[in-house]
Amino acid sequence: MQIQDLPYPDPGVPDARSGPRFLWWLGRNQLGGQFKALAWGLLHFVAVSGLPFCVGLAVQAVVDPSGARLALAGGLIALCGVGIALGDTMLHRAAVTNWITAAARVQQLLARRTAELGSALTRRVAAGEVVAVSTGDVEKIGWFVEAVSRFAAAALTVVLVCIGLVVYQPALGVIVAVGVPVLALAVLPLLPRATRRADSQREKAGRATELASDTVAGLRVLRGIGGEELFLDRYRSASQEVRRAAVRSARMWSLISAIQVLLPGLLMVAVVWRGVGLARDGSITVGELVTVYSAVMLLTYPLRHFEEIAMAYSFSRPSARRAARVLSLRRAVDSGGTRTERTPGGDLHDPATGLLAPAGRLTAVVCGDPDAAGLLAERLGGHPSDESTSVLLGGVPLDELPLDIARTAVLVQDKDPVLLSGSLSELLDVPSSGTVSAAQALAAAQCGDVLDALTQGSLVAQDPMDAHITERGRSLSGGQRQRLALARSLFTDPEVLVLDEPTSAVDSHTEARIADGVRSLRTGRTTVVFTSSPLLLDHADRVLLVHDGDVVAVGVHRELVHNEPRYRAVVTRETEDEAAATASGGHQKGEAAPGSAPDDEEAVLSGVLEDDAAPLGGVLEEVEETA
């Protein structure tokens, strides 16, 4: 795999049982790149290690003197120089390729897992941790993967040099052959402590990243409640903990580096002391002494890679552990998608709650608990947060469908949809049926004023579709963001569209027009809306009340308001005392005037609801615009 071939057609199925197993899996999947880097690394290190022998030969040629051997030594030195340059260049190229391809593989795996889990991911893993894994952690994992081949080449070179020295000059070669393993193993007792300190640093950094992400995401709310300084103080404290942990980790690595310098120096002193004595006795020549001395001096270069691989593993292990944790997450129910390869159609049914949304109809769902409504909406989209019975679409369990088909069949828009930065045309560049145009979707979602605002706020774009939307749509109000997200969902035109509180941030007049637009545009398509707004509920073909995880009432809005106290309590926000008074008053009215017209009563109640909703919606929109 080369960089220009990225992304991978299939990144594979990772071994996410643990961090080390995941690193081993990554290495096994890049054996071609590893062997290529190993070959170039051997050429480079062997050429570097060959220089002492060439220098020793040249020195001895001068001492003897021998012009032929001096010329041979010069030729060998030139050849080693070419090998060093070529090997180093290609080793760097191969190593960087291994680094980037490993990081790209991890990012593809993380993106695939994120797409599979959907919004359930952030309930099982903190959003800040996912960000940390997909940014900084993939770099450290890639560092270890590419360092393995260079370490292997350095280790083989050290072995070859020690063997060569023993054969070339046994009296000094034995000292080197015994001393070099001691140099390589001397730091092993310090590595566990250094690894623990590095793990502690990474964990503290991860928590600080999570805290920063949460603080930035909630900055508007924090400013509104005066909690900005409190959270900033918490982040300052967390960052200071990271700094102290980094200093403690750096001290240990500094000690390891000092040992890597001190011990080779002591070995060199021992070799020179012994070599001078042998040269004085005539046991070895001056050229042999220079050769052994130069070889020991240059051995410190490949030995440095022993320290690097230890550092790379120490820093990559916690990163690999976090990545493996995310990659080990699975859909709550996943049968492998073996039943069908076509998009099913028909009624949407949840056996766990008894919810039934007839095909081609607009169904509204009222839930007293907003969190329960969000979880139920995600279940309808095939994203259950726990093990449970699968939702059925046309009698086919969503969890038995291939993921791409399930996502095509059912689209869920949660109560806090995300707008990515870019132009409006890029926002609507999503898979769609082609039946609904962008203009129709924007009109149904009542985005006319949003288009005007985007055009006026742009210095260069004349067409609203070319206007730039800032990150997460922060330049827009909450109602404007909500309507653009709704337009995107309508433009997709899925078989089943699940909307969770799609109009909670707009005023009542706009909400009424959106209700008309959605109903008209989604004619013949299945639509499920989680809402407690009377304006939306009154447009629904079928209304369901979910209480304590079960559907307890089914009907239309006007009937349920009169006949179901629990429904009325949620929709009108009345208290228990008010509900009791209403029930009592309704009973007395029935006794006193059994022939009273219920239609008039419905009209009065509906009018009261609409009148109450209008000023409340306007206040919410004004507060959002001001913020």
Side-chain angles (χ1 to χ4, degrees), residues 60-85:
Q60 193 60 40
V62 172
V63 172
D64 283 343
S66 173
R69 281 188 294 170
L70 185 60
L72 175 62
L76 291 176
I77 291 175
L79 183 62
C80 287
V82 173
I84 292 172

Side-chain angles (χ1 to χ4, degrees), residues 144-305:
F144 174 75
V145 171
E146 70 90 10
V148 168
S149 56
R150 290 189 288 110
F151 164 73
L156 286 176
T157 301
V158 169
V159 172
L160 292 176
V161 170
C162 290
I163 294 175
L165 288 177
V166 171
V167 173
Y168 177 73
Q169 179 46 252
L172 296 177
V174 171
I175 298 177
V176 177
V178 173
V180 167
V182 173
L183 299 181
L185 301 177
V187 297
L188 285 182
L190 300 176
L191 288 181
R193 183 178 298 179
T195 301
R196 288 194 298 269
R197 292 189 179 185
D199 290 349
S200 176
Q201 177 194 350
R202 294 301 305 158
E203 290 174 2
K204 292 179 184 296
R207 287 196 294 268
T209 301
E210 294 173 19
L211 181 60
S213 176
D214 293 341
T215 302
V216 172
L219 196 56
R220 175 180 294 184
V221 177
L222 292 176
R223 286 174 175 170
I225 63 177
E228 182 181 3
E229 285 300 323
L230 174 63
F231 275 79
L232 288 177
D233 288 340
R234 290 181 181 178
Y235 179 73
R236 292 189 188 101
S237 176
S239 64
Q240 288 302 312
E241 290 184 9
V242 175
R243 182 188 63 80
R244 287 190 291 268
V247 171
R248 294 180 68 248
S249 179
R251 286 173 179 170
M252 184 56 63
W253 288 113
S254 298
L255 177 59
I256 292 175
S257 298
I259 292 175
Q260 291 281 0
V261 173
L262 175 63
L263 293 185
L266 295 177
L267 176 61
M268 192 176 300
V269 170
V271 169
V272 171
W273 179 78
R274 178 60 177 163
V276 169
L278 292 175
R280 183 182 299 167
D281 296 340
S283 301
I284 63 173
T285 64
V286 175
E288 291 173 337
L289 175 60
V290 172
T291 297
V292 176
Y293 170 80
S294 301
V296 173
M297 182 177 65
L298 289 178
L299 272 179
T300 58
Y301 173 55
L303 282 174
R304 280 288 180 181
H305 289 78

Side-chain angles (χ1 to χ4, degrees), residues 506-509 511 535 607-623:
V506 300
D507 61 82
S508 58
H509 301 290
E511 188 177 30
L535 295 175
V608 170
L609 293 177
E610 292 185 6
D611 290 340
D612 288 342
L616 179 59
V619 170
L620 290 176
E621 184 72 6
E622 183 178 352
V623 169

